[in-house]
Amino acid sequence: MMIIAFRRTIAVVIAVFGISSLVIAGEHGKTKGGVMVNVYSYRQPFLIRPLMDAFTRKTGIKVNIVFAKKGMLERLQAEGENTSADVVLTVDISRLSALKNAGLLQSVQSDVLHKNIPAHLRDEDNQWFALTTRARLVVAHKDKVKEGEIANYEDLTGDKWKGRICTRSGKHPYNVALWSSIIAHKGNAEAEKFLSGLKANLARKPQGNDRAQVKAIFEGVCDVAIINSYYLGKMATNDKKPEQKKWYSALRVIFPNQGNRGTHVNISGAGVVKHSKNRDNAVKLLEYLASDEAQKMYAEVNHEYPIKAGVKWSDLVASWGSFKMDTLPLSKVAANARKATQLVDKVGYDH
Ligand code: FE
């Protein structure tokens, strides 16, 4: 019976959760080896394992992690009260707010999290917390676009950029969050004008990931793209694919909207699962991830911006300069996500 049940669990896990690698969590709560906490993570092992190992060394709390690329919300819904998950780790504000809206997270009252994380980067009901930020940057070919030629996202709708811009799908969460922020600041009509203007200037049908847009700049397909900041770091230091260092070297890095609302940022973040069985350990883990030590690791390992003030940026990230970020509460960005995807359809952005 035990074996059958176990097999069934694995089958469900793989079907529903789209597992890339997997550690099956053991019993809840205390084990022979001490206390534990179970994590469902969309964030990748190379980043998360060192952080969790450091947490275990510091606290003695063992961390079990299920890594996945999709299906987290559906799995938590299916597991309900029987879930073994205590903590979720993910990127993107829309994913965190979807978990909250599905009633899968719980409120956490923590002085440490309140002190370390700025208010606009955490949920007003304390159900999710940002752990890092990433700027959605404009990058341009440094020889073809002069310094100061692009100051705002809105400048990309100008006639001079016709046929010169590349982006990934308008429906990718990173872009949806940017469009949502424009709706939140300027309203739906202005956001539509922006999106149709941007679409009119695209060099090709939206395709590929953020790095593929930089490759296209390098290859002369376009001169301007919109990408997340940490990809610059990943390309600049990519020893496995050294051609990406050349792509990076061709770029001028632009922080848009410095003279007004600031550059749009998205987040990676975490929450405590509603039916967590190891709640205290879950809160301890979140507090650790918001600590100086963990924040420094995020900054160094993945070229992200720490959310905690005073934590040093990596040298490479610092080389792009400091900037003013858009401090509109991210809950307001998430609230406009549906309107944003409707606009993408309306202007035919991806076609
Ligand atoms: Fe990414």
Side-chain angles (χ1 to χ4, degrees):
M1 282 301 283
M2 282 290 287
I3 290 166
I4 291 163
F6 188 56
R7 276 200 185 137
R8 192 173 295 154
T9 306
I10 289 183
V12 168
V13 160
I14 290 165
V16 178
F17 207 21
I19 296 303
S20 54
S21 72
L22 173 69
V23 180
I24 295 287
E27 295 291 309
H28 301 143
K30 298 199 176 185
T31 61
K32 274 180 203 160
V35 289
M36 70 197 297
V37 64
N38 298 324
V39 176
Y40 285 0
S41 177
Y42 277 154
R43 307 229 65 192
Q44 296 169 53
F46 81 92
L47 174 65
I48 295 307
R49 285 215 199 279
L51 283 162
M52 299 302 152
D53 290 348
F55 172 70
T56 301
R57 278 197 299 276
K58 202 160 198 122
T59 61
I61 299 169
K62 187 173 175 271
V63 185
N64 300 305
I65 316 169
V66 175
F67 291 105
K69 291 201 159 117
K70 57 184 176 188
M72 187 191 286
L73 186 144
E74 294 78 5
R75 176 170 174 176
L76 286 169
Q77 272 176 331
E79 291 172 340
E81 289 181 22
N82 297 320
T83 189
S84 58
D86 300 302
V87 169
V88 290
L89 291 177
T90 182
V91 298
D92 188 60
I93 178 57
S94 68
R95 295 203 181 102
L96 286 163
S97 75
L99 290 167
K100 178 192 173 186
N101 294 339
L104 295 167
L105 303 178
Q106 62 171 282
S107 293
V108 171
Q109 303 301 330
S110 159
D111 292 343
V112 173
L113 295 178
H114 266 238
K115 198 172 100 217
N116 291 9
I117 305 172
H120 69 104
L121 299 175
R122 48 181 154 84
D123 175 43
E124 53 198 8
D125 300 317
N126 299 303
Q127 294 199 19
W128 52 256
F129 300 87
L131 295 170
T132 62
T133 62
R134 52 273 300 283
R136 193 103 182 112
L137 301 172
V138 173
V139 291
H141 194 292
K142 65 180 179 197
D143 300 329
K144 297 178 188 167
V145 177
K146 290 196 251 353
E147 193 174 352
E149 223 177 335
I150 300 169
N152 304 305
Y153 297 111
E154 288 84 345
D155 295 344
L156 301 180
T157 63
D159 285 344
K160 72 192 282 191
W161 305 110
K162 194 153 288 278
R164 297 177 69 187
I165 300 172
C166 285
T167 76
R168 75 193 308 165
S169 165
K171 286 193 175 170
H172 187 277
Y174 299 159
N175 279 337
V176 170
L178 173 58
W179 319 148
S180 302
S181 77
I182 295 173
I183 296 173
H185 280 287
K186 304 170 89 175
N188 220 51
E190 281 297 308
E192 181 178 342
K193 225 194 275 175
F194 168 75
L195 212 52
S196 61
L198 184 60
K199 189 227 163 3
N201 287 344
L202 293 179
R204 61 179 185 183
K205 193 175 145 166
Q207 59 196 269
N209 56 20
D210 278 2
R211 273 186 265 199
Q213 316 314 317
V214 177
K215 181 174 187 245
I217 290 176
F218 182 75
E219 291 174 344
V221 176
C222 43
D223 299 332
V224 180
I226 301 174
I227 70 164
N228 277 359
S229 50
Y230 55 88
Y231 289 119
L232 292 173
K234 285 171 175 286
M235 290 186 290
T237 59
N238 199 332
D239 292 327
K240 279 191 192 151
K241 294 177 183 162
E243 66 273 20
Q244 293 193 2
K245 295 181 184 180
K246 286 194 232 160
W247 306 351
Y248 169 79
S249 302
L251 294 181
R252 177 182 302 292
V253 177
I254 300 158
F255 289 90
N257 299 77
Q258 292 304 285
N260 42 74
R261 64 183 185 267
T263 299
H264 167 68
V265 298
N266 206 323
I267 57 172
S268 79
V272 176
V273 173
K274 181 164 182 196
H275 296 294
S276 164
K277 315 296 186 296
N278 304 294
R279 189 179 186 281
D280 291 351
N281 295 344
V283 175
K284 273 185 202 149
L285 177 57
L286 261 57
E287 289 177 343
Y288 174 73
L289 293 175
S291 73
D292 287 80
E293 183 179 292
Q295 287 286 301
K296 197 154 189 301
M297 286 173 78
Y298 273 119
E300 292 294 334
V301 177
N302 205 38
H303 316 287
E304 296 183 66
Y305 294 100
I307 40 90
K308 187 171 185 295
V311 176
K312 199 174 163 287
W313 296 0
S314 83
D315 289 341
L316 184 60
V317 171
S319 76
W320 308 323
S322 59
F323 69 103
K324 173 184 171 181
M325 79 163 83
D326 183 354
T327 56
L328 181 81
L330 283 174
S331 50
K332 295 216 163 73
V333 172
N336 285 301
R338 244 192 66 186
K339 280 188 194 163
T341 53
Q342 283 166 351
L343 281 187
V344 171
D345 282 334
K346 192 172 177 192
V347 308
Y349 191 88
D350 282 350
H351 301 293

